[in-house]
Amino acid sequence: VDAALGPGFPLDSLANSDFTNIDVKRSDMECLIGLNWLNDEVINFMMGMLQQRELRRNPGKPRCHFFNTFFYNSLYRNSRKFDYRKVRRWTGPKLGYSILDCEKVVIPIHQGMHWVLAVINILEKKIQFFDSMGGHDKLSLAHLAQYITAEYMDKRSEIVNGSSWAREIPRDIPRQDNCSDCGVFMVAYAECTGRNCVFDFDQLRMPIMRRRFVAQILKGLVP
């Protein structure tokens, strides 16, 4: 871990994988030092490892599906207009399973200067929003309700009104007390969601969690 975070050529490749097609370079790892903001490469590598953990535990039928950071950008942010067509093929036959058979769908969202996590809980028919600064984003929740409606119609020709699903913005969750750790909190929310456990971390654990992320990326494995 110390070597990965130490001095060296910025373009050194420190980790790569077939499941993400991401090459994590030394310059990417630097975002896990101190109070640096996490970037897309690190977050998407972590999301890919969380998905691989699900597939190891439940081959062919994972309980959770983890999208990467580009999903919501494609669904809405890039064009500032909801467009299901741009993500329709993300859940096609090549995926190997239907996300509609999962219990939860996990979506990291970058709000420009801040990372948050949304979870479509298919089992309980609700959409959740986790923000380590206590904010809310009703527009994102509305888009994800539209998304699940369109996904059911496209993949199963079923009429499901996602807008009728409950929407939750829990307040009693771990919060950051700086302006730098939102990405770490967001990944931690996702990791706990995958384990179906309580959020067992706080601000004091952020330095440890950053180093743990480095170790997991180097191994290409989240246990």
Side-chain angles (χ1 to χ4, degrees), residues 12-25 29 45 49 216-221:
D12 284 344
S13 176
L14 299 183
N16 54 70
S17 69
D18 294 335
F19 55 82
T20 62
N21 293 320
I22 295 173
D23 183 17
V24 178
K25 297 178 172 57
M29 284 292 200
F45 204 94
M49 289 192 295
Q216 291 171 342
I217 290 170
L218 293 173
K219 292 180 180 178
L221 179 72

Side-chain angles (χ1 to χ4, degrees), residues 83-103:
D83 192 347
Y84 173 75
R85 295 171 300 174
K86 292 184 178 179
V87 297
R88 176 177 176 270
R89 294 185 180 181
W90 286 48
T91 54
K94 289 184 178 180
L95 188 61
Y97 58 88
S98 170
I99 67 166
L100 300 177
D101 291 327
C102 296
E103 295 178 11

Side-chain angles (χ1 to χ4, degrees), residues 48-108:
M49 289 192 295
L50 292 175
Q51 187 64 63
Q52 288 303 303
R53 181 179 67 180
E54 277 295 313
L55 292 172
R56 289 195 307 272
R57 293 178 174 180
N58 304 285
K61 194 175 181 181
R63 292 183 305 105
C64 293
H65 177 75
F66 294 82
F67 279 121
N68 62 33
T69 62
F70 303 118
F71 172 78
Y72 189 71
N73 286 345
S74 299
L75 183 68
Y76 170 74
R77 277 194 69 88
N78 289 342
S79 63
R80 309 303 294 178
K81 179 176 67 175
F82 176 86
D83 192 347
Y84 173 75
R85 295 171 300 174
K86 292 184 178 179
V87 297
R88 176 177 176 270
R89 294 185 180 181
W90 286 48
T91 54
K94 289 184 178 180
L95 188 61
Y97 58 88
S98 170
I99 67 166
L100 300 177
D101 291 327
C102 296
E103 295 178 11
K104 299 175 182 178
V105 178
V106 180
I107 304 113

Side-chain angles (χ1 to χ4, degrees), residues 35-211:
L35 296 177
N36 290 334
W37 295 358
L38 270 60
N39 66 12
D40 285 276
E41 284 72 23
V42 163
I43 287 176
N44 286 333
F45 204 94
M46 292 297 301
M47 292 294 156
M49 289 192 295
L50 292 175
Q51 187 64 63
Q52 288 303 303
R53 181 179 67 180
E54 277 295 313
L55 292 172
R56 289 195 307 272
R57 293 178 174 180
N58 304 285
K61 194 175 181 181
R63 292 183 305 105
C64 293
H65 177 75
F66 294 82
F67 279 121
N68 62 33
T69 62
F70 303 118
F71 172 78
Y72 189 71
N73 286 345
S74 299
L75 183 68
Y76 170 74
R77 277 194 69 88
N78 289 342
S79 63
R80 309 303 294 178
K81 179 176 67 175
F82 176 86
D83 192 347
Y84 173 75
R85 295 171 300 174
K86 292 184 178 179
V87 297
R88 176 177 176 270
R89 294 185 180 181
W90 286 48
T91 54
K94 289 184 178 180
L95 188 61
Y97 58 88
S98 170
I99 67 166
L100 300 177
D101 291 327
C102 296
E103 295 178 11
K104 299 175 182 178
V105 178
V106 180
I107 304 113
I109 298 175
H110 192 227
Q111 297 181 317
M113 299 287 286
H114 184 53
W115 288 106
V116 297
L117 188 77
V119 176
I120 302 175
N121 190 320
I122 295 174
L123 186 65
E124 299 181 14
K125 292 183 170 54
K126 63 184 180 182
I127 304 172
Q128 298 167 292
F129 182 83
F130 301 100
D131 184 340
S132 57
M133 295 192 76
H136 60 81
D137 187 347
K138 294 181 180 179
L139 184 61
S140 293
L141 294 178
H143 291 149
L144 295 177
Q146 287 180 267
Y147 169 75
I148 202 66
T149 298
E151 184 74 358
Y152 267 103
M153 178 57 68
D154 182 68
K155 301 300 190 297
R156 295 187 174 174
S157 299
E158 292 182 24
I159 298 175
V160 173
N161 183 9
S163 295
S164 69
W165 289 19
R167 302 180 193 184
E168 293 183 356
I169 305 176
R171 299 301 181 186
D172 56 340
I173 60 174
R175 299 278 185 88
Q176 66 186 100
D177 61 13
N178 59 29
C179 297
S180 307
D181 283 325
C182 59
V184 185
F185 273 85
M186 187 271 289
V187 173
Y189 293 151
E191 201 273 335
C192 289
T193 297
R195 288 193 286 125
N196 198 30
C197 71
V198 297
F199 294 160
D200 55 352
F201 56 90
D202 57 25
Q203 180 66 59
L204 294 176
R205 289 187 56 81
M206 290 300 106
I208 296 173
M209 296 190 78
R210 283 174 177 267
R211 290 182 63 85

